[in-house]
Amino acid sequence: MSVTIKSPADIEKMRIAGRLASEVLDFIEAHVQPGVTTEALDRLCHDYMVEQQGCVPAPLNYAPPGYRPYPKSICSSINHQVCHGVPGPKALKKGDIVNLDITVIKDGYHGDTSRMFQVGATSILAKRLCEVTYECLWLGIAQVRPGARLGDIGHAIQRHAEGCGFSVVREFCGHGIGTKFHEEPQVLHYGRPGTGLELREGMIFTIEPMINAGKAAISELPDGWTIVTKDRSLSAQWEHTILVTADGAEVLTRSAGAPGIPELVADQFTTR
Ligand code: MF3
Ligand code: CO
Ligand code: CO
């Protein structure tokens, strides 16, 4: 399978799926409070996707080769958990940071997006890590245009993360997305400018940097899904689904509650 170019009809469906995924995060935000379990957040999101949106939660029973079927409808990754955290009976507490990653299927098309949430007051380090990781996502988005290369995206992300004293997780990456959850290409969050696949109008992929406060190394928990930092340092992630347009990028996973473009990259979007 190679990288597909989406048709105008595909793109219209991906806009809808993307908005719906982002709206699940808008919906759940008020529920992310000290004392709530990630299992409860999973149930709330599941019911919202199924009953309010008429969507299928893509993670539920998702079983790529080598994995057991994923048991829940969202991913919730707390503090030193990097990604694919499986919701459970543990309650969030003040000072936690948590990534909620939502993937919906609407009309056969996937929308995939995640945000960081801070539970009560958090440490200066936790705040800074969430902020820098969000900037990394947008520095990546700012590279997207026909003729640019995947290495340009990875480099922009890596440079900022490492320049701030953080590290980039290597084992997981962004991905093409459409009627399948994970398609080609792999979108690495590190790399060299001018290398890798050349972007073309109509490609759709995610950018979803995972940035660690400590070292980049990760390990997998015995549940077969949850990824944690090996040194137990904090980790953050933000994700958008992106369309390559004639003159740049369109963020498909947008909604009323999605945070805006960070100051650091704002000037790179003013001429579009
Ligand atoms: N949403 C994740 C991503 O961004 C994938 C989660 S797979 C799951 O690619 F099975 F854990 F849900
Ligand atoms: Co993704
Ligand atoms: Co995701």
Side-chain angles (χ1 to χ4, degrees):
M1 251 279 293
S2 55
V3 179
T4 60
I5 299 297
K6 268 63 177 181
S7 71
D10 293 330
I11 290 167
E12 204 35 61
K13 306 257 195 191
M14 289 296 286
R15 282 197 182 103
I16 293 167
R19 177 178 49 78
L20 289 166
S22 189
E23 285 176 353
V24 178
L25 291 170
D26 295 356
F27 157 76
I28 203 62
E29 180 164 21
H31 297 275
V32 184
Q33 297 291 343
V36 75
T37 67
T38 48
E39 204 158 68
L41 296 176
D42 175 74
R43 171 55 65 97
L44 285 162
C45 289
H46 172 95
D47 291 352
Y48 188 80
M49 288 185 260
V50 172
E51 286 157 24
Q52 306 296 316
Q53 297 185 319
C55 288
V56 174
L60 191 57
N61 298 315
Y62 183 60
Y67 285 83
R68 63 194 83 161
Y70 189 78
K72 297 288 183 184
S73 296
I74 70 170
C75 298
S76 56
S77 305
I78 307 169
N79 296 338
H80 68 289
Q81 297 179 346
V82 173
C83 63
H84 305 167
V86 179
K90 211 173 141 194
L92 296 177
K93 57 182 195 312
K94 278 184 203 150
D96 285 346
I97 57 171
V98 58
N99 174 277
L100 299 181
D101 192 341
I102 303 294
T103 312
V104 303
I105 310 172
K106 180 68 169 183
D107 226 353
Y109 289 79
H110 292 72
D112 188 7
T113 185
S114 78
R115 298 182 199 156
M116 294 303 297
F117 297 91
Q118 308 198 28
V119 183
T122 57
S123 69
I124 289 168
L125 174 65
K127 278 196 192 64
R128 180 74 183 137
L129 179 66
C130 293
E131 174 183 56
V132 168
T133 305
Y134 188 59
E135 289 168 347
C136 284
L137 166 62
W138 277 93
L139 285 164
I141 295 170
Q143 294 299 318
V144 174
R145 62 175 62 79
R149 290 172 176 267
L150 285 178
D152 300 335
I153 298 173
H155 176 75
I157 291 168
Q158 179 179 17
R159 184 187 136 109
H160 187 51
E162 293 179 355
C164 293
F166 299 143
S167 64
V168 178
V169 171
R170 300 292 203 272
E171 291 84 349
F172 297 90
C173 55
H175 50 91
I177 183 167
T179 53
K180 298 209 190 67
F181 195 161
H182 294 101
E183 303 181 352
E184 284 181 42
Q186 297 197 16
V187 180
L188 303 184
H189 303 115
Y190 59 93
R192 283 182 297 121
T195 66
L197 180 77
E198 186 175 323
L199 305 185
R200 287 178 51 198
E201 184 179 354
M203 289 180 180
I204 297 181
F205 51 80
T206 71
I207 303 178
E208 48 182 297
M210 284 141 277
I211 307 298
N212 298 347
K215 295 206 170 83
I218 52 134
S219 38
E220 189 183 281
L221 294 189
D223 65 15
W225 277 103
T226 307
I227 303 299
V228 297
T229 57
K230 220 171 213 148
D231 63 8
R232 296 290 192 249
S233 65
L234 289 177
S235 186
Q237 179 177 31
W238 291 81
E239 175 175 27
H240 270 313
T241 300
I242 309 295
L243 165 70
V244 184
T245 63
D247 62 350
E250 178 180 328
V251 176
L252 299 179
T253 36
R254 272 178 316 178
S255 61
I261 299 174
E263 188 111 30
L264 183 79
V265 303
D267 59 317
Q268 298 184 60
F269 287 89
T270 48
T271 56
R272 299 207 195 154

PDB file of all heavy atoms in Angstrom, residues 58-60 62-64 70 72-75 84-85 101-103 112-113 173 175 181-182 206 208 225 237 239, ligand 1:
ATOM      1  N   ALA A  58     -13.077   4.381  17.069  1.00  0.00           N
ATOM      2  CA  ALA A  58     -12.132   3.524  16.335  1.00  0.00           C
ATOM      3  C   ALA A  58     -11.243   2.647  17.229  1.00  0.00           C
ATOM      4  O   ALA A  58     -10.905   1.530  16.827  1.00  0.00           O
ATOM      5  CB  ALA A  58     -11.271   4.381  15.410  1.00  0.00           C
ATOM      6  N   PRO A  59     -10.834   3.118  18.424  1.00  0.00           N
ATOM      7  CA  PRO A  59      -9.948   2.275  19.222  1.00  0.00           C
ATOM      8  C   PRO A  59     -10.586   0.957  19.686  1.00  0.00           C
ATOM      9  O   PRO A  59      -9.884  -0.048  19.816  1.00  0.00           O
ATOM     10  CB  PRO A  59      -9.617   3.157  20.444  1.00  0.00           C
ATOM     11  CG  PRO A  59      -9.760   4.548  19.928  1.00  0.00           C
ATOM     12  CD  PRO A  59     -10.946   4.474  18.984  1.00  0.00           C
ATOM     13  N   LEU A  60     -11.880   0.955  19.965  1.00  0.00           N
ATOM     14  CA  LEU A  60     -12.537  -0.211  20.584  1.00  0.00           C
ATOM     15  C   LEU A  60     -12.350  -1.465  19.725  1.00  0.00           C
ATOM     16  O   LEU A  60     -12.796  -1.500  18.573  1.00  0.00           O
ATOM     17  CB  LEU A  60     -14.025   0.097  20.796  1.00  0.00           C
ATOM     18  CG  LEU A  60     -14.815  -0.897  21.656  1.00  0.00           C
ATOM     19  CD1 LEU A  60     -14.206  -1.054  23.052  1.00  0.00           C
ATOM     20  CD2 LEU A  60     -16.278  -0.469  21.744  1.00  0.00           C
ATOM     21  N   TYR A  62      -9.726  -2.416  18.339  1.00  0.00           N
ATOM     22  CA  TYR A  62      -8.707  -2.240  17.296  1.00  0.00           C
ATOM     23  C   TYR A  62      -7.546  -3.197  17.592  1.00  0.00           C
ATOM     24  O   TYR A  62      -7.042  -3.252  18.713  1.00  0.00           O
ATOM     25  CB  TYR A  62      -8.227  -0.788  17.303  1.00  0.00           C
ATOM     26  CG  TYR A  62      -7.220  -0.448  16.225  1.00  0.00           C
ATOM     27  CD1 TYR A  62      -7.537  -0.588  14.874  1.00  0.00           C
ATOM     28  CD2 TYR A  62      -5.948   0.037  16.558  1.00  0.00           C
ATOM     29  CE1 TYR A  62      -6.618  -0.253  13.893  1.00  0.00           C
ATOM     30  CE2 TYR A  62      -5.032   0.383  15.577  1.00  0.00           C
ATOM     31  CZ  TYR A  62      -5.373   0.234  14.248  1.00  0.00           C
ATOM     32  OH  TYR A  62      -4.462   0.566  13.273  1.00  0.00           O
ATOM     33  N   ALA A  63      -7.128  -3.955  16.591  1.00  0.00           N
ATOM     34  CA  ALA A  63      -6.110  -4.996  16.816  1.00  0.00           C
ATOM     35  C   ALA A  63      -5.138  -5.077  15.658  1.00  0.00           C
ATOM     36  O   ALA A  63      -5.222  -5.970  14.817  1.00  0.00           O
ATOM     37  CB  ALA A  63      -6.790  -6.348  17.029  1.00  0.00           C
ATOM     38  N   PRO A  64      -4.200  -4.120  15.592  1.00  0.00           N
ATOM     39  CA  PRO A  64      -3.179  -4.211  14.539  1.00  0.00           C
ATOM     40  C   PRO A  64      -2.309  -5.457  14.773  1.00  0.00           C
ATOM     41  O   PRO A  64      -2.305  -5.992  15.889  1.00  0.00           O
ATOM     42  CB  PRO A  64      -2.370  -2.924  14.695  1.00  0.00           C
ATOM     43  CG  PRO A  64      -2.740  -2.332  16.002  1.00  0.00           C
ATOM     44  CD  PRO A  64      -3.994  -2.957  16.474  1.00  0.00           C
ATOM     45  N   TYR A  70      -7.716  -3.679  21.426  1.00  0.00           N
ATOM     46  CA  TYR A  70      -7.735  -2.589  22.406  1.00  0.00           C
ATOM     47  C   TYR A  70      -9.092  -2.606  23.112  1.00  0.00           C
ATOM     48  O   TYR A  70     -10.131  -2.635  22.462  1.00  0.00           O
ATOM     49  CB  TYR A  70      -7.484  -1.252  21.706  1.00  0.00           C
ATOM     50  CG  TYR A  70      -7.274  -0.109  22.662  1.00  0.00           C
ATOM     51  CD1 TYR A  70      -6.065   0.064  23.307  1.00  0.00           C
ATOM     52  CD2 TYR A  70      -8.308   0.783  22.933  1.00  0.00           C
ATOM     53  CE1 TYR A  70      -5.873   1.104  24.207  1.00  0.00           C
ATOM     54  CE2 TYR A  70      -8.134   1.830  23.826  1.00  0.00           C
ATOM     55  CZ  TYR A  70      -6.908   1.995  24.468  1.00  0.00           C
ATOM     56  OH  TYR A  70      -6.730   3.019  25.357  1.00  0.00           O
ATOM     57  N   LYS A  72     -10.816  -0.418  25.087  1.00  0.00           N
ATOM     58  CA  LYS A  72     -11.605   0.775  25.422  1.00  0.00           C
ATOM     59  C   LYS A  72     -11.831   1.640  24.188  1.00  0.00           C
ATOM     60  O   LYS A  72     -11.331   1.336  23.107  1.00  0.00           O
ATOM     61  CB  LYS A  72     -10.891   1.572  26.517  1.00  0.00           C
ATOM     62  CG  LYS A  72     -10.738   0.830  27.840  1.00  0.00           C
ATOM     63  CD  LYS A  72     -12.074   0.707  28.576  1.00  0.00           C
ATOM     64  CE  LYS A  72     -11.877   0.013  29.926  1.00  0.00           C
ATOM     65  NZ  LYS A  72     -13.150  -0.202  30.626  1.00  0.00           N
ATOM     66  N   SER A  73     -12.549   2.760  24.378  1.00  0.00           N
ATOM     67  CA  SER A  73     -12.954   3.607  23.250  1.00  0.00           C
ATOM     68  C   SER A  73     -12.106   4.855  23.071  1.00  0.00           C
ATOM     69  O   SER A  73     -12.218   5.545  22.058  1.00  0.00           O
ATOM     70  CB  SER A  73     -14.413   4.021  23.427  1.00  0.00           C
ATOM     71  OG  SER A  73     -15.225   2.868  23.381  1.00  0.00           O
ATOM     72  N   ILE A  74     -11.289   5.172  24.093  1.00  0.00           N
ATOM     73  CA  ILE A  74     -10.359   6.298  23.992  1.00  0.00           C
ATOM     74  C   ILE A  74      -9.013   5.866  24.586  1.00  0.00           C
ATOM     75  O   ILE A  74      -8.941   4.828  25.253  1.00  0.00           O
ATOM     76  CB  ILE A  74     -10.857   7.564  24.747  1.00  0.00           C
ATOM     77  CG1 ILE A  74     -10.807   7.365  26.272  1.00  0.00           C
ATOM     78  CG2 ILE A  74     -12.272   7.931  24.313  1.00  0.00           C
ATOM     79  CD1 ILE A  74     -11.044   8.657  27.069  1.00  0.00           C
ATOM     80  N   CYS A  75      -7.984   6.655  24.363  1.00  0.00           N
ATOM     81  CA  CYS A  75      -6.723   6.458  25.066  1.00  0.00           C
ATOM     82  C   CYS A  75      -6.564   7.595  26.071  1.00  0.00           C
ATOM     83  O   CYS A  75      -6.860   8.759  25.746  1.00  0.00           O
ATOM     84  CB  CYS A  75      -5.537   6.457  24.104  1.00  0.00           C
ATOM     85  SG  CYS A  75      -5.601   5.116  22.900  1.00  0.00           S
ATOM     86  N   HIS A  84      -1.345   5.613  24.279  1.00  0.00           N
ATOM     87  CA  HIS A  84      -2.109   4.355  24.314  1.00  0.00           C
ATOM     88  C   HIS A  84      -2.449   3.902  25.726  1.00  0.00           C
ATOM     89  O   HIS A  84      -2.661   2.704  25.953  1.00  0.00           O
ATOM     90  CB  HIS A  84      -1.368   3.228  23.572  1.00  0.00           C
ATOM     91  CG  HIS A  84      -1.022   3.575  22.158  1.00  0.00           C
ATOM     92  ND1 HIS A  84      -0.145   2.853  21.391  1.00  0.00           N
ATOM     93  CD2 HIS A  84      -1.428   4.599  21.369  1.00  0.00           C
ATOM     94  CE1 HIS A  84      -0.017   3.408  20.201  1.00  0.00           C
ATOM     95  NE2 HIS A  84      -0.795   4.471  20.166  1.00  0.00           N
ATOM     96  N   GLY A  85      -2.502   4.866  26.671  1.00  0.00           N
ATOM     97  CA  GLY A  85      -2.909   4.518  28.033  1.00  0.00           C
ATOM     98  C   GLY A  85      -4.331   3.968  28.023  1.00  0.00           C
ATOM     99  O   GLY A  85      -5.230   4.563  27.429  1.00  0.00           O
ATOM    100  N   ASP A 101      -6.909  10.918  23.753  1.00  0.00           N
ATOM    101  CA  ASP A 101      -6.755  10.726  22.308  1.00  0.00           C
ATOM    102  C   ASP A 101      -8.036  10.084  21.777  1.00  0.00           C
ATOM    103  O   ASP A 101      -8.421   8.992  22.206  1.00  0.00           O
ATOM    104  CB  ASP A 101      -5.535   9.830  22.048  1.00  0.00           C
ATOM    105  CG  ASP A 101      -5.125   9.803  20.580  1.00  0.00           C
ATOM    106  OD1 ASP A 101      -5.951  10.169  19.718  1.00  0.00           O
ATOM    107  OD2 ASP A 101      -3.977   9.405  20.294  1.00  0.00           O
ATOM    108  N   ILE A 102      -8.657  10.810  20.851  1.00  0.00           N
ATOM    109  CA  ILE A 102      -9.970  10.414  20.332  1.00  0.00           C
ATOM    110  C   ILE A 102      -9.851  10.106  18.847  1.00  0.00           C
ATOM    111  O   ILE A 102      -9.332  10.921  18.074  1.00  0.00           O
ATOM    112  CB  ILE A 102     -10.978  11.582  20.481  1.00  0.00           C
ATOM    113  CG1 ILE A 102     -11.098  12.033  21.940  1.00  0.00           C
ATOM    114  CG2 ILE A 102     -12.337  11.198  19.879  1.00  0.00           C
ATOM    115  CD1 ILE A 102     -11.702  11.043  22.880  1.00  0.00           C
ATOM    116  N   THR A 103     -10.352   8.952  18.448  1.00  0.00           N
ATOM    117  CA  THR A 103     -10.469   8.650  17.024  1.00  0.00           C
ATOM    118  C   THR A 103     -11.882   8.152  16.752  1.00  0.00           C
ATOM    119  O   THR A 103     -12.311   7.147  17.334  1.00  0.00           O
ATOM    120  CB  THR A 103      -9.448   7.599  16.572  1.00  0.00           C
ATOM    121  OG1 THR A 103      -8.161   7.963  17.066  1.00  0.00           O
ATOM    122  CG2 THR A 103      -9.409   7.514  15.051  1.00  0.00           C
ATOM    123  N   ASP A 112      -8.796  11.858  13.908  1.00  0.00           N
ATOM    124  CA  ASP A 112      -7.898  11.443  14.996  1.00  0.00           C
ATOM    125  C   ASP A 112      -7.253  12.688  15.599  1.00  0.00           C
ATOM    126  O   ASP A 112      -6.546  13.426  14.893  1.00  0.00           O
ATOM    127  CB  ASP A 112      -6.842  10.503  14.386  1.00  0.00           C
ATOM    128  CG  ASP A 112      -5.938   9.812  15.393  1.00  0.00           C
ATOM    129  OD1 ASP A 112      -6.178   9.924  16.599  1.00  0.00           O
ATOM    130  OD2 ASP A 112      -4.988   9.139  14.927  1.00  0.00           O
ATOM    131  N   THR A 113      -7.479  12.927  16.882  1.00  0.00           N
ATOM    132  CA  THR A 113      -6.922  14.128  17.516  1.00  0.00           C
ATOM    133  C   THR A 113      -6.751  13.904  19.010  1.00  0.00           C
ATOM    134  O   THR A 113      -7.507  13.149  19.619  1.00  0.00           O
ATOM    135  CB  THR A 113      -7.816  15.361  17.268  1.00  0.00           C
ATOM    136  OG1 THR A 113      -7.195  16.535  17.807  1.00  0.00           O
ATOM    137  CG2 THR A 113      -9.194  15.211  17.901  1.00  0.00           C
ATOM    138  N   CYS A 173       4.727   7.316  15.740  1.00  0.00           N
ATOM    139  CA  CYS A 173       4.778   8.422  14.793  1.00  0.00           C
ATOM    140  C   CYS A 173       3.377   8.788  14.327  1.00  0.00           C
ATOM    141  O   CYS A 173       2.406   8.096  14.641  1.00  0.00           O
ATOM    142  CB  CYS A 173       5.647   8.018  13.599  1.00  0.00           C
ATOM    143  SG  CYS A 173       5.112   6.498  12.812  1.00  0.00           S
ATOM    144  N   HIS A 175       0.715   9.374  11.075  1.00  0.00           N
ATOM    145  CA  HIS A 175       0.348   8.363  10.078  1.00  0.00           C
ATOM    146  C   HIS A 175      -0.672   8.912   9.090  1.00  0.00           C
ATOM    147  O   HIS A 175      -1.499   9.756   9.449  1.00  0.00           O
ATOM    148  CB  HIS A 175      -0.249   7.146  10.800  1.00  0.00           C
ATOM    149  CG  HIS A 175      -1.328   7.506  11.793  1.00  0.00           C
ATOM    150  ND1 HIS A 175      -2.672   7.555  11.451  1.00  0.00           N
ATOM    151  CD2 HIS A 175      -1.267   7.908  13.093  1.00  0.00           C
ATOM    152  CE1 HIS A 175      -3.369   7.937  12.514  1.00  0.00           C
ATOM    153  NE2 HIS A 175      -2.548   8.170  13.518  1.00  0.00           N
ATOM    154  N   PHE A 181      -7.522   3.472   9.807  1.00  0.00           N
ATOM    155  CA  PHE A 181      -7.035   4.215  10.983  1.00  0.00           C
ATOM    156  C   PHE A 181      -5.568   4.610  10.743  1.00  0.00           C
ATOM    157  O   PHE A 181      -5.193   5.783  10.877  1.00  0.00           O
ATOM    158  CB  PHE A 181      -7.167   3.292  12.203  1.00  0.00           C
ATOM    159  CG  PHE A 181      -7.064   3.935  13.561  1.00  0.00           C
ATOM    160  CD1 PHE A 181      -7.568   3.258  14.677  1.00  0.00           C
ATOM    161  CD2 PHE A 181      -6.492   5.183  13.764  1.00  0.00           C
ATOM    162  CE1 PHE A 181      -7.489   3.810  15.942  1.00  0.00           C
ATOM    163  CE2 PHE A 181      -6.414   5.747  15.033  1.00  0.00           C
ATOM    164  CZ  PHE A 181      -6.914   5.040  16.125  1.00  0.00           C
ATOM    165  N   HIS A 182      -4.747   3.613  10.390  1.00  0.00           N
ATOM    166  CA  HIS A 182      -3.319   3.882  10.181  1.00  0.00           C
ATOM    167  C   HIS A 182      -2.935   3.492   8.765  1.00  0.00           C
ATOM    168  O   HIS A 182      -2.959   2.320   8.406  1.00  0.00           O
ATOM    169  CB  HIS A 182      -2.475   3.136  11.220  1.00  0.00           C
ATOM    170  CG  HIS A 182      -2.694   3.633  12.619  1.00  0.00           C
ATOM    171  ND1 HIS A 182      -3.490   2.998  13.539  1.00  0.00           N
ATOM    172  CD2 HIS A 182      -2.242   4.755  13.242  1.00  0.00           C
ATOM    173  CE1 HIS A 182      -3.505   3.692  14.679  1.00  0.00           C
ATOM    174  NE2 HIS A 182      -2.757   4.759  14.520  1.00  0.00           N
ATOM    175  N   THR A 206      -1.698  12.445  10.136  1.00  0.00           N
ATOM    176  CA  THR A 206      -1.658  13.069  11.455  1.00  0.00           C
ATOM    177  C   THR A 206      -0.237  13.518  11.766  1.00  0.00           C
ATOM    178  O   THR A 206       0.736  12.973  11.249  1.00  0.00           O
ATOM    179  CB  THR A 206      -2.101  12.103  12.571  1.00  0.00           C
ATOM    180  OG1 THR A 206      -1.094  11.114  12.764  1.00  0.00           O
ATOM    181  CG2 THR A 206      -3.437  11.425  12.242  1.00  0.00           C
ATOM    182  N   GLU A 208       1.587  14.036  15.530  1.00  0.00           N
ATOM    183  CA  GLU A 208       1.225  13.749  16.926  1.00  0.00           C
ATOM    184  C   GLU A 208       2.454  13.535  17.804  1.00  0.00           C
ATOM    185  O   GLU A 208       2.653  12.467  18.365  1.00  0.00           O
ATOM    186  CB  GLU A 208       0.293  12.543  16.994  1.00  0.00           C
ATOM    187  CG  GLU A 208       0.735  11.319  16.193  1.00  0.00           C
ATOM    188  CD  GLU A 208      -0.292  10.183  16.275  1.00  0.00           C
ATOM    189  OE1 GLU A 208      -0.510   9.685  17.400  1.00  0.00           O
ATOM    190  OE2 GLU A 208      -0.853   9.796  15.234  1.00  0.00           O
ATOM    191  N   TRP A 225      -0.481  -2.482  25.800  1.00  0.00           N
ATOM    192  CA  TRP A 225      -0.812  -1.241  25.106  1.00  0.00           C
ATOM    193  C   TRP A 225      -0.114  -0.008  25.686  1.00  0.00           C
ATOM    194  O   TRP A 225       0.500   0.756  24.957  1.00  0.00           O
ATOM    195  CB  TRP A 225      -2.334  -1.004  25.122  1.00  0.00           C
ATOM    196  CG  TRP A 225      -3.045  -1.752  24.048  1.00  0.00           C
ATOM    197  CD1 TRP A 225      -3.771  -2.910  24.197  1.00  0.00           C
ATOM    198  CD2 TRP A 225      -3.090  -1.429  22.653  1.00  0.00           C
ATOM    199  NE1 TRP A 225      -4.259  -3.312  22.982  1.00  0.00           N
ATOM    200  CE2 TRP A 225      -3.866  -2.429  22.020  1.00  0.00           C
ATOM    201  CE3 TRP A 225      -2.555  -0.405  21.881  1.00  0.00           C
ATOM    202  CZ2 TRP A 225      -4.113  -2.407  20.644  1.00  0.00           C
ATOM    203  CZ3 TRP A 225      -2.794  -0.376  20.502  1.00  0.00           C
ATOM    204  CH2 TRP A 225      -3.570  -1.387  19.909  1.00  0.00           C
ATOM    205  N   GLN A 237       1.691  14.890  24.668  1.00  0.00           N
ATOM    206  CA  GLN A 237       1.385  14.661  23.241  1.00  0.00           C
ATOM    207  C   GLN A 237       0.180  15.505  22.838  1.00  0.00           C
ATOM    208  O   GLN A 237      -0.772  15.662  23.613  1.00  0.00           O
ATOM    209  CB  GLN A 237       1.059  13.179  22.997  1.00  0.00           C
ATOM    210  CG  GLN A 237       0.697  12.885  21.535  1.00  0.00           C
ATOM    211  CD  GLN A 237       0.438  11.423  21.251  1.00  0.00           C
ATOM    212  OE1 GLN A 237      -0.037  10.691  22.118  1.00  0.00           O
ATOM    213  NE2 GLN A 237       0.732  10.996  20.042  1.00  0.00           N
ATOM    214  N   GLU A 239      -2.196  16.052  19.043  1.00  0.00           N
ATOM    215  CA  GLU A 239      -2.377  15.471  17.706  1.00  0.00           C
ATOM    216  C   GLU A 239      -3.458  16.199  16.917  1.00  0.00           C
ATOM    217  O   GLU A 239      -4.522  16.506  17.444  1.00  0.00           O
ATOM    218  CB  GLU A 239      -2.790  13.995  17.839  1.00  0.00           C
ATOM    219  CG  GLU A 239      -3.128  13.323  16.505  1.00  0.00           C
ATOM    220  CD  GLU A 239      -3.417  11.831  16.621  1.00  0.00           C
ATOM    221  OE1 GLU A 239      -3.855  11.380  17.697  1.00  0.00           O
ATOM    222  OE2 GLU A 239      -3.210  11.128  15.609  1.00  0.00           O
TER     223      GLU A 239
HETATM  224  N1  MF3 B   1      -5.149   7.352  18.356  1.00  0.00           N
HETATM  225  C1  MF3 B   1      -3.847   6.726  18.342  1.00  0.00           C
HETATM  226  C2  MF3 B   1      -3.080   7.410  17.223  1.00  0.00           C
HETATM  227  O1  MF3 B   1      -3.039   8.588  17.239  1.00  0.00           O
HETATM  228  C3  MF3 B   1      -3.900   5.262  18.113  1.00  0.00           C
HETATM  229  C4  MF3 B   1      -4.544   4.541  19.234  1.00  0.00           C
HETATM  230  S1  MF3 B   1      -4.651   2.883  18.846  1.00  0.00           S
HETATM  231  C5  MF3 B   1      -5.529   2.304  20.140  1.00  0.00           C
HETATM  232  O2  MF3 B   1      -2.580   6.860  16.288  1.00  0.00           O
HETATM  233  F1  MF3 B   1      -5.915   1.114  19.813  1.00  0.00           F
HETATM  234  F2  MF3 B   1      -4.780   2.349  21.214  1.00  0.00           F
HETATM  235  F3  MF3 B   1      -6.589   3.067  20.335  1.00  0.00           F
END
